[in-house]
Amino acid sequence: MADRCTHVDRIEEVSPSSTEGCSECLESGGSWNHLRICLTCGHVGCCDSSPNRHASKHAAAQDHPIAASFEPGESWAWCYVDGVPLEVEALHLPHRDPYPDGN
């Protein structure tokens, strides 16, 4: 495990694959606890405390190492490969609107 992330060059400006929830869980009727967004492609998946752990599965399958919280009011990111948090002040993190229909 590194003491810092060695994959920041893989971060792109992304748009979320879903603003409603975990992309795979929405398709399969599954449930999630919290959402993560891939900072390489914008895939929105469920966290590791969710039954299906789609965010970390996506990271491993696609070789996309960094995800950020996609929860309203949270600003943090994690490198799955190096097992370290990232300094997010310099990152432009997309955020999920807690009221997507405008209410």
Side-chain angles (χ1 to χ4, degrees):
M1 184 182 308
D3 60 351
R4 64 181 181 85
C5 175
T6 58
H7 300 91
V8 293
D9 61 328
R10 307 280 301 280
I11 296 173
E12 302 288 339
E13 188 168 329
V14 298
S15 295
S17 62
S18 169
T19 57
E20 301 299 316
C22 172
S23 296
E24 288 89 354
C25 288
L26 288 169
E27 287 181 20
S28 68
S31 62
W32 60 88
N33 293 325
H34 301 285
L35 300 174
R36 308 293 178 245
I37 185 168
C38 173
L39 295 184
T40 300
C41 72
H43 172 268
V44 174
C46 52
C47 69
D48 282 355
S49 63
S50 298
N52 293 301
R53 303 174 54 180
H54 287 123
S56 60
K57 287 178 181 177
H58 168 84
Q62 299 299 316
D63 190 30
H64 292 173
I66 302 170
S69 174
F70 198 53
E71 293 296 319
E74 292 187 4
S75 292
W76 58 267
W78 180 259
C79 179
Y80 288 105
V81 176
D82 294 321
V84 295
L86 277 74
E87 294 292 329
V88 297
E89 290 77 25
L91 302 177
H92 181 316
L93 297 180
H95 291 284
R96 184 169 63 104
D97 183 351
Y99 307 106
D101 61 358
N103 291 325

